[in-house]
Amino acid sequence: MSSDDPFAFTCGCLPLWFASGAGAVARRVLGSTVIGGMRAASGIAIFLIPVTFYVVERFATGRKSLMAEEAPPVTQPVVVA
């Protein structure tokens, strides 16, 4: 595990989420926001970015193959002796 592990950071914010006493509402709001943001960022990084990359690559390679099919065949020059 690295020092920028999102799971460890999220677990470190759990005391904010379960805060009680003076100023608990502000701490709970902060904890909820940070934990929700880390979950959203992790979900985007794990699921959305790879899927978007796959779709873009499929679209790009599909256009290249279509362009290759539409191109006229290259003919060899006729050499007259």
Side-chain angles (χ1 to χ4, degrees), residues 36-48:
M38 286 303 295
R39 289 182 65 186
S42 296
I44 288 170
I46 292 170
F47 299 110
L48 188 63

Side-chain angles (χ1 to χ4, degrees), residues 5 12-13 17 26-28 35 37 39 41-44 46 57-60 63-65 67 69 75 77 80:
D5 185 21
C13 292
W17 200 27
R27 289 186 181 102
R28 286 183 182 174
I35 291 171
R39 289 182 65 186
S42 296
I44 288 170
I46 292 170
E57 284 295 311
R58 287 284 293 204
F59 181 71
R63 288 194 65 171
K64 286 180 186 175
S65 64
M67 290 170 51
E69 290 173 7
T75 58
V80 179

